[in-house]
Amino acid sequence: PNSAARILAGRPSGLIGVLMDTHAPAVCFHLLAEIEKSLAKRGLRVLTGMSHNDVNKMFETYQALIQHGVDGILCISYDYPDELEHIIDYFKGEKKIVFVNGPEVKGHSCVKIDSGRAVEEAVKYLYANGRKKLGFVCSKGSMAVAGSRIEGFLTATNGEGLIFKTPTLAHDSDLLRDSLKIAVNDFIIKEQIDGVVTLDDMSALTLMSELRRAGLSIPDDVAVVGYDNDIFSSLLEPPLATIDTNLPKLAEEAIASL
């Protein structure tokens, strides 16, 4: 029988909902692909609902997924720190949702990458390769994502690592380039940074370009570490050192938590 017939009969529909932001970073869509792959092995299907930067619309989308009879919902890329209280109010008493990589909502499961520990390992890698003065580049608007990574960075550098917050790291090519040009001139060159950890691989790629424009060699003058192990990281010259967050494992753990 099809899913509608199973729902009418009071049986599981075989559908799992995924709630996500339409402007989520590319890694979230890679995670969605891993979730779909893992569910398919179980004979289950994905129904995706999307909205953007609006908790009210987020909850409306959640309700729409419920009305379509999903057996559970995985929520990814909705870590809005300023809206946490609203998210808690909206989802109080809801039983079918698991949050992935935040936010942490009391009474609900949350499956997260230990991003702080991951950055600690990146710092160890940089030190092991002879780097002396390290920096972490993020944006003023990325603190929900960057918070635990900064903690890991400062822990691994014994508080000696330097943080630089650009105006934005939005994935608009011109804005991204302008922001990281500021990071190169006002931070890396000025502070004589020789090792940098970035927020994601796209930021790392753009930073490498701006470092070369400024006459610096990679990795001889400045070593760069990205985050997410995007497909292009191994195709760069030199290849980008990057943190692999093991998305297949994250997908499996998230599904198991439903």
Side-chain angles (χ1 to χ4, degrees), residues 70-91:
V70 297
D71 299 324
I73 294 175
L74 300 174
C75 178
I76 60 180
S77 72
Y78 273 107
D79 196 1
Y80 307 145
D82 296 336
E83 299 288 349
L84 181 57
E85 290 185 8
H86 292 137
I87 292 175
I88 291 172
D89 288 341
Y90 273 118
F91 288 96

Side-chain angles (χ1 to χ4, degrees), residues 9 28 31 38 40 42 54 58 73 82 110-111 130 155 165 181 190 213 215 239 243 246 258:
C28 292
L31 175 58
S38 182
R42 296 168 165 82
D54 186 316
M58 171 189 176
I73 294 175
D82 296 336
C110 180
V111 180
T155 297
K165 300 173 186 176
K181 183 176 182 179
K190 182 179 179 180
R213 287 172 184 266
I243 295 168
N246 197 349
L258 282 172

Side-chain angles (χ1 to χ4, degrees), residues 5-26:
R6 288 197 293 267
I7 294 168
L8 289 173
R11 296 166 56 194
S13 66
L15 292 172
I16 299 298
V18 175
L19 185 62
M20 63 187 300
D21 194 298
T22 52
H23 290 207

Side-chain angles (χ1 to χ4, degrees), residues 8 31 35 72 77 96 102 137 179 182 220 251:
L8 289 173
L31 175 58
I35 289 171
S77 72
K96 292 187 173 184
V137 175
S179 292
I182 293 171
D220 295 339

Side-chain angles (χ1 to χ4, degrees), residues 8-245:
L8 289 173
R11 296 166 56 194
S13 66
L15 292 172
I16 299 298
V18 175
L19 185 62
M20 63 187 300
D21 194 298
T22 52
H23 290 207
V27 66
C28 292
F29 291 90
H30 297 330
L31 175 58
L32 173 62
E34 293 295 339
I35 289 171
E36 189 279 331
K37 186 189 302 183
S38 182
L39 289 173
K41 293 178 182 177
R42 296 168 165 82
L44 303 174
R45 293 180 295 159
V46 170
L47 187 62
T48 305
M50 295 187 178
S51 62
H52 174 58
N53 208 27
D54 186 316
V55 176
N56 182 55
K57 290 181 180 178
M58 171 189 176
F59 189 68
E60 289 176 357
T61 305
Y62 165 84
Q63 290 178 311
L65 290 172
I66 294 294
Q67 290 166 5
H68 279 79
V70 297
D71 299 324
I73 294 175
L74 300 174
C75 178
I76 60 180
S77 72
Y78 273 107
D79 196 1
Y80 307 145
D82 296 336
E83 299 288 349
L84 181 57
E85 290 185 8
H86 292 137
I87 292 175
I88 291 172
D89 288 341
Y90 273 118
F91 288 96
K92 187 186 306 178
E94 300 296 327
K95 302 296 183 183
K96 292 187 173 184
I97 189 165
V98 171
F99 293 92
V100 184
N101 278 338
E104 295 185 20
V105 179
K106 186 177 180 180
H108 295 288
S109 296
C110 180
V111 180
K112 301 183 73 172
I113 297 292
D114 189 348
S115 57
R117 179 65 180 275
V119 171
E120 287 184 39
E121 293 300 316
V123 169
K124 292 178 184 177
Y125 165 83
L126 289 169
Y127 280 146
N129 283 274
R131 303 299 141 171
K132 304 297 183 183
K133 193 171 185 180
L134 305 187
F136 185 94
V137 175
C138 58
S139 72
K140 294 177 182 178
S142 65
M143 297 314 296
V145 174
S148 59
R149 301 186 198 181
I150 290 175
E151 289 179 12
F153 177 77
L154 292 175
T155 297
T157 59
N158 295 317
E160 295 179 358
L162 300 179
I163 311 296
F164 186 78
K165 300 173 186 176
T166 69
T168 180
L169 287 182
H171 285 176
D172 172 285
S173 58
D174 291 333
L175 290 175
L176 186 59
R177 181 174 288 110
D178 289 346
S179 292
L180 291 171
K181 183 176 182 179
I182 293 171
V184 169
N185 293 325
D186 295 354
F187 177 56
I188 295 173
I189 293 176
K190 182 179 179 180
E191 298 292 343
Q192 297 183 318
I193 302 293
D194 64 0
V196 180
V197 180
T198 62
L199 201 60
D200 55 37
D201 289 343
M202 185 60 70
S203 298
L205 167 64
T206 310
L207 181 65
M208 289 166 68
S209 175
E210 290 306 313
L211 286 167
R212 289 193 181 99
R213 287 172 184 266
L216 296 172
S217 174
I218 303 160
D220 295 339
D221 295 323
V222 183
V224 179
V225 176
Y227 195 105
D228 289 333
N229 194 18
D230 215 325
I231 188 170
F232 62 79
S233 60
S234 63
L235 304 177
L236 300 177
E237 184 58 44
L240 173 65
T242 180
I243 295 168
D244 188 332
T245 53

